[in-house]
Amino acid sequence: MSVLPRLCLAAGLSLMGTAASAATIEVTIEQLTFKPAVVTARPGDTILWRNKDVMDHTATSKGNFDVVIPSGKSGSTVVKNSGSFDYDCRYHPNMKGRIEVGR
Ligand SMILES: [Cu+2]
């Protein structure tokens, strides 16, 4: 009889925990490609790019962010606003990605 309310409380707490904790979303850069090309995030989440190429890249969305990701290294940005953000690499404009930030 006392089990059900406890389960409900636990479920409620875990939902709150999910909403409050920010996630890190990883994007791998390999052979001049963002993988995955499209990621979804929530405000407060971190986007982390890992560059596996032998050349430097950037993740650039004019007016929003401009992250340099050196060869073999990583770079990150925290998304603050909801919306859809297309980005590319300043050195290789054919490289394209998008971050969909929900609420
Ligand atoms: Cu590049």
Side-chain angles (χ1 to χ4, degrees):
M1 191 172 165
S2 61
V3 173
L4 196 55
R6 282 189 195 162
L7 279 176
C8 290
L9 180 61
L13 285 174
S14 67
L15 278 177
M16 285 166 63
T18 303
S21 63
T24 298
I25 294 126
E26 294 195 19
V27 177
T28 300
I29 306 173
E30 213 165 9
Q31 297 177 341
L32 290 92
T33 307
F34 295 111
K35 297 177 185 176
V38 180
V39 294
T40 55
R42 289 179 179 279
D45 286 353
T46 298
I47 313 296
L48 179 76
W49 289 273
R50 290 188 191 283
N51 184 359
K52 294 189 170 180
D53 279 344
V54 294
M55 66 204 85
D56 296 353
H57 294 297
T58 76
T60 304
S61 176
K62 271 190 187 160
N64 298 305
F65 54 84
D66 180 25
V67 181
V68 177
I69 311 126
S71 170
K73 299 257 168 64
S74 60
S76 67
T77 190
V78 176
V79 290
K80 292 168 189 130
N81 303 312
S82 58
S84 181
F85 302 96
D86 288 304
Y87 66 90
D88 57 19
C89 172
R90 275 193 275 121
Y91 312 140
H92 314 99
N94 288 338
M95 295 174 61
K96 294 193 181 301
R98 188 165 72 240
I99 306 169
E100 306 267 12
V101 186
R103 291 182 181 282

